[in-house]
Amino acid sequence: MSPQVSIVIPNHDYGRYLDACLDSLAAQTLPVQRMEVIVVDDASGDDSLERAARWQACHPWASFSVLPLSRVGRPGPVRNAGLRRAQAALMLCLDPDDTLAPEALARMVEALDSAPHAHIASSDYFEHSGEHIRRVNIPDDDSPVLPTQNPCHSASLFRREVWEATGGYTAATAYEDWDFWVRAASCGMRRVRVPYPLVHYRLRDDGFWAGASADDAKAKAAIVRRTPAFFAPEVRGWAVAILRGETWMPAFPRGVIPTAEALRAFRDDCMARLGPQADSLFTALPGWPRKTG
C-alpha cells in the first residue's frame, strides 16, 4: 500500500528520545500501514541507529527507512534529505525529542481534506520547558503574524507541493522552520489551524533551539534577505544593517522581526536625539524610504 503520510525525523545523538517519538507514531489513530517513516541520521555517535533499526521491524509500516548521512550540522538540509526520499503526498517533519498526540495525524489529514485549497495544517501544541508545560494556541490566520513572529510548530502537515514550491528547508538561517513558512506564504500557500494541542514540543538548553537563540538577530535578518518581497522596505533595510554588523541598529526581542512602524519610531527617536544627520544612517540602507514632511 502506498503511504498517505511521510514522516521525516532528523536526528543527531537524540537516541535517548527516539523511542518515545516513534512510540507516539505507532500509537496514532491513523493506521501505521498508511505511514512512511524516514529517520535521517546526521552522523550520530550514540545508539540512534540501533534504536531506529529495532523500530523498523516493530510494526507493519507502509515503509520505514533509516538514512545515515555524513555530518551536516543543520536540521534543514537533514530534513530535505528525508523529504527527497518521501513517497507520500502529505509530509511532516518531527523532531526526535517531540511527540504527537494519538489523534494528531488523523486530525491534520482531516483538516486538509476538509480544506482542499489549504496546503498546511498546523495545530495548537504543548510547550515543555523543564518542569513547566504551557498550551500554545496558534492564530487562525498567519498573515498578520508571520512577518514578525513564527506562530507555527515545525510538526505541521503539508502537501508535497509546499516543499517543491519553496525549494525545501535552508541552512542559511537557524530559524529554518520560520523561513520555510514565510517562503510557503510568499508562494501563495495557505494554512488551516487545527484547534487542538496535538504536539508536545520540548525546549532544551542543550538543543538546537538554544543555539538559534544565540544567533537570533542574524537568523531573523537572513529570513528577510531570502524572501525580501514578503517584508516592508524598512524591514529589508533593518536586515541589511544587521547582516552588515551595524551596531547602532537594534536586534529587537528574541524571535521578533521588527515591524516597519517600530523601525520608523526608532528612526524618529534617533533623529530627536542626534539631529537630522541621523537620518542619513537609515537612508543609506538599500530600499529604506526617505523621510518626508
Side-chain angles (χ1 to χ4, degrees):
M1 178 185 297
S2 297
Q4 183 179 15
V5 179
S6 293
I7 302 104
V8 172
I9 303 175
N11 177 75
H12 174 71
D13 285 344
Y14 278 19
R16 62 196 181 280
Y17 302 108
L18 203 51
D19 286 339
C21 176
L22 290 168
D23 187 59
S24 78
L25 294 180
Q28 291 295 299
T29 57
L30 185 80
V32 295
Q33 294 90 342
R34 292 161 66 181
M35 296 182 215
E36 175 185 40
V37 179
I38 305 170
V39 178
V40 189
D41 189 74
D42 189 20
S44 292
D46 63 1
D47 62 347
S48 294
L49 290 173
E50 291 80 1
R51 288 178 184 267
R54 289 197 293 270
W55 279 94
Q56 193 171 17
C58 263
H59 294 279
W61 314 92
S63 175
F64 192 119
S65 59
V66 181
L67 176 60
L69 303 179
S70 299
R71 181 70 172 134
V72 176
R74 285 292 183 100
V78 175
R79 289 174 179 165
N80 287 338
L83 292 167
R84 279 191 289 271
R85 177 176 286 199
Q87 304 175 59
L90 300 176
M91 301 168 159
L92 181 143
C93 293
L94 180 63
D95 290 342
D97 56 341
D98 297 338
T99 57
L100 299 181
E103 69 276 19
L105 291 178
R107 283 190 182 274
M108 285 191 274
V109 168
E110 180 183 15
L112 287 180
D113 284 346
S114 300
H117 299 297
H119 306 86
I120 303 162
S122 299
S123 75
D124 299 342
Y125 60 94
F126 289 113
E127 181 184 271
H128 298 249
S129 180
E131 299 299 316
H132 180 67
I133 302 174
R134 71 181 182 109
R135 174 171 173 164
V136 179
N137 296 334
I138 66 173
D140 291 321
D141 182 9
D142 281 349
S143 55
V145 181
L146 195 56
T148 59
Q149 297 181 67
N150 180 15
C152 294
H153 186 271
S154 57
S156 299
L157 187 70
F158 54 90
R159 301 188 193 276
R160 175 179 290 274
E161 51 261 41
V162 176
W163 183 67
E164 293 172 344
T166 59
Y169 291 89
T170 181
T173 172
Y175 292 139
E176 74 287 337
D177 295 328
W178 190 358
D179 175 84
F180 187 67
W181 305 135
V182 164
R183 293 180 71 79
S186 72
C187 292
M189 305 294 179
R190 297 171 53 193
R191 177 182 67 81
V192 60
R193 176 191 174 208
V194 184
Y196 304 93
L198 300 177
V199 179
H200 291 269
Y201 170 59
R202 285 171 175 79
L203 293 177
R204 297 182 298 101
D205 291 338
D206 62 340
F208 190 82
W209 175 85
S213 297
D215 194 33
D216 173 75
K218 289 187 176 180
K220 295 183 300 190
I223 294 173
V224 178
R225 179 174 62 180
R226 278 176 50 79
T227 316
F230 193 73
F231 299 91
E234 293 89 344
V235 180
R236 297 198 293 269
W238 168 85
V240 168
I242 291 294
L243 293 171
R244 283 179 179 173
E246 302 280 3
T247 56
W248 56 270
M249 182 65 81
F252 288 83
R254 186 193 66 78
V256 176
I257 292 175
T259 62
E261 292 76 16
L263 287 163
R264 287 195 292 268
F266 172 66
R267 187 261 322 269
D268 291 344
D269 180 66
C270 288
M271 292 181 65
R273 289 185 294 108
L274 304 175
Q277 67 271 21
D279 196 43
S280 63
L281 291 172
F282 295 89
T283 54
L285 298 172
W288 187 281
R290 292 187 176 276
K291 185 174 177 60
T292 59

